Amino acid sequence: RTGNGQPLFLPPGQLHAPITNLRFDPIRELPDKVVEMRETKRLINILVTNRMSQAIRQIVTNGIIEQPGLLGHDGHVIVQALDAKLADVDTIVLITPPNPIATDQASTVIKAAKAAGVRKIVRLSALKATADGPTDNTRQHAHTDSELMKSGLDYVILRPHLFMPLMFMAAESIATSDKFYFGMGEGKMGLIDIRDVADCIAACVVSDDHNGQAIELTGPNSITFHDAAADLSSVLGRTI
């Protein structure tokens, strides 16, 4: 959020240069601004879009970035509007942020994709997406993953661990009191940067090498928030 508490929305041009061919862009800059937690998947959408060739048509269904006319006032996908967007689409990137009707949103897209002759869906799921998962979010993801696997469509399911930019939630308390608070104890996480998640999505769109797979995505190390505090202390030159 900005200093006055208003949501911060970032146009794609502030992130990196657009891509004009089927290579992946090594550019890794992000704006030097704090991003609210709920904007994380919005940024993934922007990153993926800019990493894809303009020749590839892509539908991103997201409760935060609303495709014009795609979502109704109640958040449900408008089938007729979706059908109009699926003409000649080969591959869909399906991203649904945590919300009470995420399963319904995703199910509508999967059914419409199959009816329209879409070949493949690349889906962003979550780590521990199982029927008995620890949260409503993981259980909803499990339901959608299962539906996609049974749909007859080609698919790749990506299950990332905690997004690293969510550390920005602690930016204010670190700046004002040299402390941050998460109820994790000694729990370890494979924090992953959303730019890496976007690269994985883009790779699975332009290649069929991973079709039929559910892949867990993590960062290079499994760390605690105590480790994160030590790294921040080293970088900032004071004890966090």
Side-chain angles (χ1 to χ4, degrees), residues 72-92:
H73 295 299
D74 60 358
H76 287 88
V77 177
I78 301 173
V79 176
Q80 295 87 342
L82 178 61
D83 289 344
K85 292 176 179 289
L86 291 179
D88 302 320
V89 169
D90 176 81
T91 298
I92 292 174

PDB file of all heavy atoms in Angstrom, residues 72-92:
ATOM      1  N   GLY A  72     -18.863 -11.435 -13.108  1.00  0.00           N
ATOM      2  CA  GLY A  72     -20.070 -10.736 -12.700  1.00  0.00           C
ATOM      3  C   GLY A  72     -19.868 -10.015 -11.387  1.00  0.00           C
ATOM      4  O   GLY A  72     -18.821 -10.114 -10.743  1.00  0.00           O
ATOM      5  N   HIS A  73     -20.886  -9.277 -10.938  1.00  0.00           N
ATOM      6  CA  HIS A  73     -20.782  -8.524  -9.694  1.00  0.00           C
ATOM      7  C   HIS A  73     -20.605  -9.440  -8.488  1.00  0.00           C
ATOM      8  O   HIS A  73     -20.066  -9.026  -7.459  1.00  0.00           O
ATOM      9  CB  HIS A  73     -22.027  -7.656  -9.512  1.00  0.00           C
ATOM     10  CG  HIS A  73     -22.173  -6.580 -10.543  1.00  0.00           C
ATOM     11  ND1 HIS A  73     -21.251  -5.568 -10.716  1.00  0.00           N
ATOM     12  CD2 HIS A  73     -23.136  -6.366 -11.478  1.00  0.00           C
ATOM     13  CE1 HIS A  73     -21.631  -4.774 -11.686  1.00  0.00           C
ATOM     14  NE2 HIS A  73     -22.776  -5.241 -12.178  1.00  0.00           N
ATOM     15  N   ASP A  74     -21.052 -10.693  -8.617  1.00  0.00           N
ATOM     16  CA  ASP A  74     -20.901 -11.640  -7.514  1.00  0.00           C
ATOM     17  C   ASP A  74     -19.584 -12.400  -7.570  1.00  0.00           C
ATOM     18  O   ASP A  74     -19.328 -13.268  -6.744  1.00  0.00           O
ATOM     19  CB  ASP A  74     -22.065 -12.630  -7.506  1.00  0.00           C
ATOM     20  CG  ASP A  74     -22.160 -13.434  -8.808  1.00  0.00           C
ATOM     21  OD1 ASP A  74     -21.348 -13.189  -9.726  1.00  0.00           O
ATOM     22  OD2 ASP A  74     -23.056 -14.298  -8.902  1.00  0.00           O
ATOM     23  N   GLY A  75     -18.725 -12.070  -8.541  1.00  0.00           N
ATOM     24  CA  GLY A  75     -17.428 -12.714  -8.656  1.00  0.00           C
ATOM     25  C   GLY A  75     -17.408 -13.951  -9.524  1.00  0.00           C
ATOM     26  O   GLY A  75     -16.341 -14.465  -9.856  1.00  0.00           O
ATOM     27  N   HIS A  76     -18.577 -14.468  -9.901  1.00  0.00           N
ATOM     28  CA  HIS A  76     -18.625 -15.660 -10.744  1.00  0.00           C
ATOM     29  C   HIS A  76     -18.315 -15.297 -12.196  1.00  0.00           C
ATOM     30  O   HIS A  76     -18.608 -14.186 -12.649  1.00  0.00           O
ATOM     31  CB  HIS A  76     -19.999 -16.327 -10.657  1.00  0.00           C
ATOM     32  CG  HIS A  76     -20.231 -17.029  -9.354  1.00  0.00           C
ATOM     33  ND1 HIS A  76     -20.756 -16.384  -8.253  1.00  0.00           N
ATOM     34  CD2 HIS A  76     -19.997 -18.308  -8.973  1.00  0.00           C
ATOM     35  CE1 HIS A  76     -20.841 -17.258  -7.240  1.00  0.00           C
ATOM     36  NE2 HIS A  76     -20.394 -18.414  -7.642  1.00  0.00           N
ATOM     37  N   VAL A  77     -17.714 -16.255 -12.894  1.00  0.00           N
ATOM     38  CA  VAL A  77     -17.364 -16.040 -14.298  1.00  0.00           C
ATOM     39  C   VAL A  77     -18.636 -16.059 -15.139  1.00  0.00           C
ATOM     40  O   VAL A  77     -19.487 -16.949 -14.999  1.00  0.00           O
ATOM     41  CB  VAL A  77     -16.391 -17.131 -14.795  1.00  0.00           C
ATOM     42  CG1 VAL A  77     -16.079 -16.937 -16.285  1.00  0.00           C
ATOM     43  CG2 VAL A  77     -15.105 -17.098 -13.973  1.00  0.00           C
ATOM     44  N   ILE A  78     -18.771 -15.084 -16.030  1.00  0.00           N
ATOM     45  CA  ILE A  78     -19.902 -15.026 -16.953  1.00  0.00           C
ATOM     46  C   ILE A  78     -19.565 -15.909 -18.147  1.00  0.00           C
ATOM     47  O   ILE A  78     -18.666 -15.602 -18.934  1.00  0.00           O
ATOM     48  CB  ILE A  78     -20.178 -13.585 -17.398  1.00  0.00           C
ATOM     49  CG1 ILE A  78     -20.476 -12.702 -16.178  1.00  0.00           C
ATOM     50  CG2 ILE A  78     -21.346 -13.535 -18.390  1.00  0.00           C
ATOM     51  CD1 ILE A  78     -20.591 -11.228 -16.504  1.00  0.00           C
ATOM     52  N   VAL A  79     -20.273 -17.027 -18.284  1.00  0.00           N
ATOM     53  CA  VAL A  79     -19.920 -18.038 -19.270  1.00  0.00           C
ATOM     54  C   VAL A  79     -19.940 -17.478 -20.684  1.00  0.00           C
ATOM     55  O   VAL A  79     -19.027 -17.735 -21.492  1.00  0.00           O
ATOM     56  CB  VAL A  79     -20.864 -19.252 -19.158  1.00  0.00           C
ATOM     57  CG1 VAL A  79     -20.554 -20.271 -20.250  1.00  0.00           C
ATOM     58  CG2 VAL A  79     -20.748 -19.886 -17.783  1.00  0.00           C
ATOM     59  N   GLN A  80     -20.963 -16.709 -21.017  1.00  0.00           N
ATOM     60  CA  GLN A  80     -21.067 -16.183 -22.375  1.00  0.00           C
ATOM     61  C   GLN A  80     -19.879 -15.274 -22.699  1.00  0.00           C
ATOM     62  O   GLN A  80     -19.336 -15.315 -23.808  1.00  0.00           O
ATOM     63  CB  GLN A  80     -22.378 -15.410 -22.557  1.00  0.00           C
ATOM     64  CG  GLN A  80     -23.632 -16.255 -22.437  1.00  0.00           C
ATOM     65  CD  GLN A  80     -24.103 -16.375 -20.992  1.00  0.00           C
ATOM     66  OE1 GLN A  80     -23.346 -16.119 -20.043  1.00  0.00           O
ATOM     67  NE2 GLN A  80     -25.375 -16.756 -20.831  1.00  0.00           N
ATOM     68  N   ALA A  81     -19.476 -14.449 -21.736  1.00  0.00           N
ATOM     69  CA  ALA A  81     -18.338 -13.565 -21.954  1.00  0.00           C
ATOM     70  C   ALA A  81     -17.051 -14.361 -22.108  1.00  0.00           C
ATOM     71  O   ALA A  81     -16.192 -14.037 -22.929  1.00  0.00           O
ATOM     72  CB  ALA A  81     -18.221 -12.571 -20.800  1.00  0.00           C
ATOM     73  N   LEU A  82     -16.911 -15.420 -21.315  1.00  0.00           N
ATOM     74  CA  LEU A  82     -15.726 -16.255 -21.404  1.00  0.00           C
ATOM     75  C   LEU A  82     -15.662 -16.974 -22.747  1.00  0.00           C
ATOM     76  O   LEU A  82     -14.604 -17.023 -23.379  1.00  0.00           O
ATOM     77  CB  LEU A  82     -15.727 -17.280 -20.264  1.00  0.00           C
ATOM     78  CG  LEU A  82     -14.560 -18.269 -20.236  1.00  0.00           C
ATOM     79  CD1 LEU A  82     -13.241 -17.534 -20.083  1.00  0.00           C
ATOM     80  CD2 LEU A  82     -14.748 -19.272 -19.108  1.00  0.00           C
ATOM     81  N   ASP A  83     -16.793 -17.518 -23.190  1.00  0.00           N
ATOM     82  CA  ASP A  83     -16.812 -18.227 -24.473  1.00  0.00           C
ATOM     83  C   ASP A  83     -16.323 -17.341 -25.604  1.00  0.00           C
ATOM     84  O   ASP A  83     -15.601 -17.789 -26.505  1.00  0.00           O
ATOM     85  CB  ASP A  83     -18.238 -18.717 -24.775  1.00  0.00           C
ATOM     86  CG  ASP A  83     -18.668 -19.859 -23.866  1.00  0.00           C
ATOM     87  OD1 ASP A  83     -17.792 -20.468 -23.228  1.00  0.00           O
ATOM     88  OD2 ASP A  83     -19.886 -20.126 -23.785  1.00  0.00           O
ATOM     89  N   ALA A  84     -16.695 -16.071 -25.563  1.00  0.00           N
ATOM     90  CA  ALA A  84     -16.290 -15.145 -26.621  1.00  0.00           C
ATOM     91  C   ALA A  84     -14.782 -14.912 -26.627  1.00  0.00           C
ATOM     92  O   ALA A  84     -14.197 -14.617 -27.672  1.00  0.00           O
ATOM     93  CB  ALA A  84     -17.029 -13.811 -26.450  1.00  0.00           C
ATOM     94  N   LYS A  85     -14.153 -15.067 -25.467  1.00  0.00           N
ATOM     95  CA  LYS A  85     -12.709 -14.844 -25.370  1.00  0.00           C
ATOM     96  C   LYS A  85     -11.892 -16.092 -25.715  1.00  0.00           C
ATOM     97  O   LYS A  85     -10.671 -16.021 -25.836  1.00  0.00           O
ATOM     98  CB  LYS A  85     -12.341 -14.371 -23.960  1.00  0.00           C
ATOM     99  CG  LYS A  85     -12.862 -12.981 -23.618  1.00  0.00           C
ATOM    100  CD  LYS A  85     -12.525 -12.633 -22.173  1.00  0.00           C
ATOM    101  CE  LYS A  85     -13.002 -11.233 -21.810  1.00  0.00           C
ATOM    102  NZ  LYS A  85     -12.198 -10.200 -22.468  1.00  0.00           N
ATOM    103  N   LEU A  86     -12.540 -17.244 -25.827  1.00  0.00           N
ATOM    104  CA  LEU A  86     -11.805 -18.491 -26.010  1.00  0.00           C
ATOM    105  C   LEU A  86     -11.643 -18.904 -27.474  1.00  0.00           C
ATOM    106  O   LEU A  86     -11.037 -19.933 -27.750  1.00  0.00           O
ATOM    107  CB  LEU A  86     -12.504 -19.623 -25.244  1.00  0.00           C
ATOM    108  CG  LEU A  86     -12.436 -19.529 -23.719  1.00  0.00           C
ATOM    109  CD1 LEU A  86     -13.183 -20.684 -23.080  1.00  0.00           C
ATOM    110  CD2 LEU A  86     -10.994 -19.499 -23.238  1.00  0.00           C
ATOM    111  N   ALA A  87     -12.167 -18.114 -28.394  1.00  0.00           N
ATOM    112  CA  ALA A  87     -12.048 -18.475 -29.809  1.00  0.00           C
ATOM    113  C   ALA A  87     -10.582 -18.567 -30.212  1.00  0.00           C
ATOM    114  O   ALA A  87      -9.802 -17.636 -29.992  1.00  0.00           O
ATOM    115  CB  ALA A  87     -12.772 -17.431 -30.665  1.00  0.00           C
ATOM    116  N   ASP A  88     -10.205 -19.724 -30.772  1.00  0.00           N
ATOM    117  CA  ASP A  88      -8.852 -19.958 -31.293  1.00  0.00           C
ATOM    118  C   ASP A  88      -7.768 -19.967 -30.222  1.00  0.00           C
ATOM    119  O   ASP A  88      -6.585 -19.859 -30.528  1.00  0.00           O
ATOM    120  CB  ASP A  88      -8.483 -18.920 -32.361  1.00  0.00           C
ATOM    121  CG  ASP A  88      -9.451 -18.914 -33.526  1.00  0.00           C
ATOM    122  OD1 ASP A  88      -9.865 -20.008 -33.935  1.00  0.00           O
ATOM    123  OD2 ASP A  88      -9.789 -17.817 -34.015  1.00  0.00           O
ATOM    124  N   VAL A  89      -8.155 -20.079 -28.952  1.00  0.00           N
ATOM    125  CA  VAL A  89      -7.154 -20.138 -27.881  1.00  0.00           C
ATOM    126  C   VAL A  89      -6.611 -21.562 -27.774  1.00  0.00           C
ATOM    127  O   VAL A  89      -7.369 -22.528 -27.722  1.00  0.00           O
ATOM    128  CB  VAL A  89      -7.767 -19.696 -26.531  1.00  0.00           C
ATOM    129  CG1 VAL A  89      -6.815 -20.020 -25.381  1.00  0.00           C
ATOM    130  CG2 VAL A  89      -8.073 -18.210 -26.560  1.00  0.00           C
ATOM    131  N   ASP A  90      -5.299 -21.699 -27.729  1.00  0.00           N
ATOM    132  CA  ASP A  90      -4.650 -23.000 -27.583  1.00  0.00           C
ATOM    133  C   ASP A  90      -4.390 -23.333 -26.119  1.00  0.00           C
ATOM    134  O   ASP A  90      -4.626 -24.450 -25.674  1.00  0.00           O
ATOM    135  CB  ASP A  90      -3.318 -23.004 -28.340  1.00  0.00           C
ATOM    136  CG  ASP A  90      -2.547 -24.308 -28.157  1.00  0.00           C
ATOM    137  OD1 ASP A  90      -2.868 -25.288 -28.862  1.00  0.00           O
ATOM    138  OD2 ASP A  90      -1.637 -24.346 -27.300  1.00  0.00           O
ATOM    139  N   THR A  91      -3.892 -22.352 -25.363  1.00  0.00           N
ATOM    140  CA  THR A  91      -3.459 -22.591 -23.989  1.00  0.00           C
ATOM    141  C   THR A  91      -3.979 -21.491 -23.075  1.00  0.00           C
ATOM    142  O   THR A  91      -3.907 -20.310 -23.412  1.00  0.00           O
ATOM    143  CB  THR A  91      -1.921 -22.644 -23.903  1.00  0.00           C
ATOM    144  OG1 THR A  91      -1.453 -23.732 -24.691  1.00  0.00           O
ATOM    145  CG2 THR A  91      -1.453 -22.822 -22.465  1.00  0.00           C
ATOM    146  N   ILE A  92      -4.489 -21.894 -21.926  1.00  0.00           N
ATOM    147  CA  ILE A  92      -4.966 -20.952 -20.911  1.00  0.00           C
ATOM    148  C   ILE A  92      -4.030 -21.006 -19.712  1.00  0.00           C
ATOM    149  O   ILE A  92      -3.635 -22.076 -19.262  1.00  0.00           O
ATOM    150  CB  ILE A  92      -6.390 -21.306 -20.451  1.00  0.00           C
ATOM    151  CG1 ILE A  92      -7.400 -21.078 -21.585  1.00  0.00           C
ATOM    152  CG2 ILE A  92      -6.792 -20.479 -19.228  1.00  0.00           C
ATOM    153  CD1 ILE A  92      -8.797 -21.546 -21.224  1.00  0.00           C
TER     154      ILE A  92
END
